[in-house]
């Protein structure tokens, strides 16, 4: 059974950086699948953060994180990353990684396009 496990969250001061990792286990199609990051702040709906296509040819971001966050993947390690710089208090949320579960598809900003989800990792930006 496919499992996605996030790590790298924590408490950071405004302006700081964190790198989230998401390791996929028992997922032989990882290198052919699109990956995404979403987040959910307290009292808010889950929202799209970033997505990367199966071949890394395309990646896109929600406007609020453009030029601050970078999504990347290492297919040899079955891992997707989210590098977060210049963090702001409004970035505080539980961050989830997700896999579309389909081969050779492009990126998607819609949570309903993703079949596999991790358990989430907490990111808190506060002084």
């Amino acid at each position: 059974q496919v499992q996605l496990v996030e790590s790298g969250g924590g408490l950071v001061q405004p302006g700081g950086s964190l790198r989230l990792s998401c390791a996929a286990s028992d997922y032989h199609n990882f290198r052919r699948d699109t990956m995404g990051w979403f987040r959910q702040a307290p009292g808010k709906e889950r929202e799209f953060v970033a997505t990367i296509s199966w071949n890394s040819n395309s990646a896109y971001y929600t406007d609020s994180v453009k030029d601050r966050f970078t999504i990347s993947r290492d297919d040899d390690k079955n891992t997707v990353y989210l590098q977060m710089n210049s963090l702001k208090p409004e970035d505080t949320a539980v961050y989830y990684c997700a896999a579309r579960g389909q081969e050779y598809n492009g990126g998607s900003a819609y949570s309903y396009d993703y079949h596999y989800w991790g358990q989430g990792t907490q990111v808190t930006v506060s002084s």
Side-chain angles (χ1 to χ4, degrees), residues 90-109:
E90 50 264 43
D91 294 319
T92 295
V94 177
Y95 283 71
Y96 300 90
C97 76
R100 287 194 69 170
Q102 297 177 342
E103 296 182 357
Y104 306 124
N105 274 289
S108 172

Side-chain angles (χ1 to χ4, degrees), residues 44-96:
K44 295 187 176 181
E45 293 187 353
R46 187 173 300 186
E47 66 170 352
F48 165 75
V49 177
T51 184
I52 186 167
S53 63
W54 66 276
N55 56 5
S56 299
N57 279 357
S58 69
Y60 52 91
Y61 306 85
T62 191
D63 286 345
S64 63
V65 309
K66 282 180 182 176
D67 300 324
R68 298 190 298 123
F69 290 12
T70 302
I71 188 171
S72 62
R73 62 190 297 159
D74 185 337
D75 291 337
D76 291 334
K77 296 181 179 180
N78 271 25
T79 300
V80 62
Y81 303 97
L82 186 67
Q83 177 67 44
M84 306 186 295
N85 299 328
S86 302
L87 282 161
K88 304 175 181 180
E90 50 264 43
D91 294 319
T92 295
V94 177
Y95 283 71
Y96 300 90

Side-chain angles (χ1 to χ4, degrees), residues 7-63:
S7 61
L11 173 64
V12 63
Q13 292 187 341
S17 299
L18 283 174
R19 188 176 82 152
L20 305 183
S21 300
C22 172
S25 61
D26 294 325
Y27 194 25
H28 303 295
N29 287 337
F30 178 86
R31 64 177 62 244
R32 294 185 288 274
D33 198 2
T34 291
M35 301 298 294
W37 285 96
F38 292 77
R39 65 186 180 186
Q40 187 167 18
K44 295 187 176 181
E45 293 187 353
R46 187 173 300 186
E47 66 170 352
F48 165 75
V49 177
T51 184
I52 186 167
S53 63
W54 66 276
N55 56 5
S56 299
N57 279 357
S58 69
Y60 52 91
Y61 306 85
T62 191
D63 286 345

